[in-house]
Amino acid sequence: MKRSILFLLCALLALGTACMLPLPKADAALVQTRSPEAVDSEAEPAEASALQSETEQPTATQPEPAPIESEAANAPALPIVFRLYDELGWDVSDAVMFSYDFNRDGVAEDIAFSLNEEDDTTTILVGNQRMELDISSMLDTVILLDLDPESPELNLLVVIDEASDDYVVTELHLEDGTLTVGPVVYGFAFWKEDALWISERTDVLGTSSGSRVYAGDDLKPVSEWLELDYVPTEEEIAEERDSLIEGGVLLHTTRKLPCTINGKDAKIAKDAYVYPVRIRADQTEAELRTLDGKALLLSFECSEEGYPERIAGKSIEKYFDNLSYAD
């Protein structure tokens, strides 16, 4: 009996000592760092992985649709120059010249012409708008351009040969959606050096033509001077002297010619040759050159109608004997 009790006491003592021993370090760390969320994550690894994948992947976006371009988006650059006889020849009475968004509504309109030889008229059509010009039926050139980028309208210049190379430039534009006639200039319009030039006839020192730049919706000249369309070169003067004299290009003086050289009064000798380089549009002055390249300024006294008549009180014809005027 005593032996059984002693054995039982020893067993209880051993069990208590075992309960007081410290846990292994690895097991203690595991107990301290685990949380309910971690336990759940380990319990359901596939679900946690799927959730992480969903949150890390960027959301797919649909590509934006490409913008729809208007018909005018691919329009040719301005200016557009249409030369009738170069493009279509002499036997065409009506045709579409080109298409452009003239009214700037995003849709290009056909720009066309119609010639009526019987009535001697030229009709310009822009979309459903039309304008009849009774200058003549000899249409030469049409230029579409923007003379003033600050204004909303575009400009359509219609160049018509009135008779015997006497050209008329008529500007057309839209006003409240209606095709309207704007400024009219007597001359031939052409595009050169990124500018609009108009060649105008002059009868100063014989018949010739000179050009200057025009700009703005009101089609006004930039300069007061006409640069002569033909000025002979030194080589041409040397090789074609006789024909240039006969044609009134090289002007022969029959008396001393009063002029200004470098701002000072001067005179060109009798029996000399000079040629015009540019002429003031109001016909009051002309710049000339001598054969040795000297520049001189010639002043004219004009009639009440503005026609140049005299130099220093004497008739212009008294100073030159080979002035050539067109009929």
Side-chain angles (χ1 to χ4, degrees):
M1 183 71 178
K2 290 180 180 179
R3 189 176 295 179
S4 298
I5 292 173
L6 181 59
F7 178 79
L8 180 59
L9 290 173
C10 291
L12 290 172
L13 181 60
L15 180 60
T17 303
C19 291
M20 295 174 65
L21 292 174
L23 290 171
K25 291 183 178 180
D27 291 344
L30 183 61
V31 172
Q32 292 172 3
T33 57
R34 285 181 181 177
S35 64
E37 291 81 4
V39 173
D40 291 341
S41 176
E42 285 186 3
E44 298 176 347
E47 182 180 347
S49 175
L51 179 60
Q52 182 181 12
S53 175
E54 288 182 11
T55 58
E56 291 180 355
Q57 293 295 326
T59 303
T61 58
Q62 296 295 328
E64 294 184 3
I68 299 175
E69 294 185 356
S70 67
E71 291 184 33
N74 297 319
L78 297 180
I80 299 174
V81 180
F82 177 85
R83 297 292 306 272
L84 173 58
Y85 303 118
D86 291 344
E87 299 285 345
L88 301 176
W90 296 84
D91 299 326
V92 178
S93 60
D94 56 85
V96 173
M97 295 178 285
F98 45 82
S99 297
Y100 201 87
D101 182 18
F102 191 68
N103 61 8
R104 293 184 165 176
D105 65 352
V107 179
E109 297 88 31
D110 285 342
I111 299 178
F113 70 88
S114 178
L115 308 179
N116 188 323
E117 293 187 9
E118 183 176 350
D119 294 338
D120 204 22
T121 60
T122 295
T123 299
I124 300 298
L125 304 97
V126 180
N128 60 0
Q129 297 285 316
R130 59 188 289 128
M131 177 60 64
E132 183 179 283
L133 304 174
D134 60 1
I135 300 167
S136 86
S137 61
M138 293 186 290
L139 176 65
D140 188 283
T141 303
V142 174
I143 304 174
L144 175 62
L145 72 170
D146 190 355
L147 288 169
D148 184 1
E150 300 298 324
S151 69
E153 68 263 14
L154 297 177
N155 312 95
L156 194 66
L157 302 185
V158 183
V159 185
I160 299 174
D161 184 358
E162 187 175 31
S164 302
D165 294 333
D166 289 334
Y167 293 95
V168 181
V169 181
T170 303
E171 189 269 348
L172 301 178
H173 60 276
L174 291 176
E175 283 188 14
D176 299 324
T178 301
L179 195 60
T180 305
V181 173
V184 175
V185 178
Y186 287 86
F188 183 86
F190 58 97
W191 187 260
K192 182 184 76 169
E193 299 173 352
D194 294 329
L196 175 70
W197 293 73
I198 296 183
S199 175
E200 304 167 59
R201 172 173 163 164
T202 174
D203 288 315
V204 177
L205 300 176
T207 300
S208 58
S209 62
S211 302
R212 53 180 171 168
V213 173
Y214 278 71
D217 286 335
D218 53 0
L219 204 61
K220 293 294 185 182
V222 173
S223 171
E224 297 178 351
W225 289 88
L226 298 172
E227 308 291 337
L228 290 193
D229 295 335
Y230 175 65
V231 176
T233 64
E234 291 183 6
E235 182 179 358
E236 288 172 332
I237 292 173
E239 296 178 357
E240 305 171 24
R241 181 186 179 97
D242 292 342
S243 62
L244 292 175
I245 294 172
E246 183 179 353
V249 176
L250 290 181
L251 301 179
H252 177 241
T253 62
T254 55
R255 63 173 62 218
K256 290 183 178 181
L257 180 65
C259 62
T260 301
I261 298 177
N262 295 327
K264 298 180 180 180
D265 291 341
K267 288 185 178 181
I268 300 299
K270 176 184 175 181
D271 200 28
Y273 289 92
V274 294
Y275 55 94
V277 174
R278 60 177 187 157
I279 295 173
R280 191 179 288 276
D282 64 6
Q283 306 188 101
T284 59
E285 292 180 312
E287 182 181 319
L288 294 83
R289 294 283 190 276
T290 61
L291 295 184
D292 58 2
K294 187 180 299 181
L296 62 103
L297 189 66
L298 203 57
S299 296
F300 305 102
E301 300 163 12
C302 297
S303 65
E304 292 181 358
E305 294 78 18
Y307 185 81
E309 291 184 332
R310 296 174 299 278
I311 299 174
K314 294 182 175 61
S315 171
I316 294 176
E317 284 74 12
K318 291 186 178 296
Y319 290 95
F320 306 97
D321 61 2
N322 64 332
L323 297 175
S324 176
Y325 294 95
D327 296 334

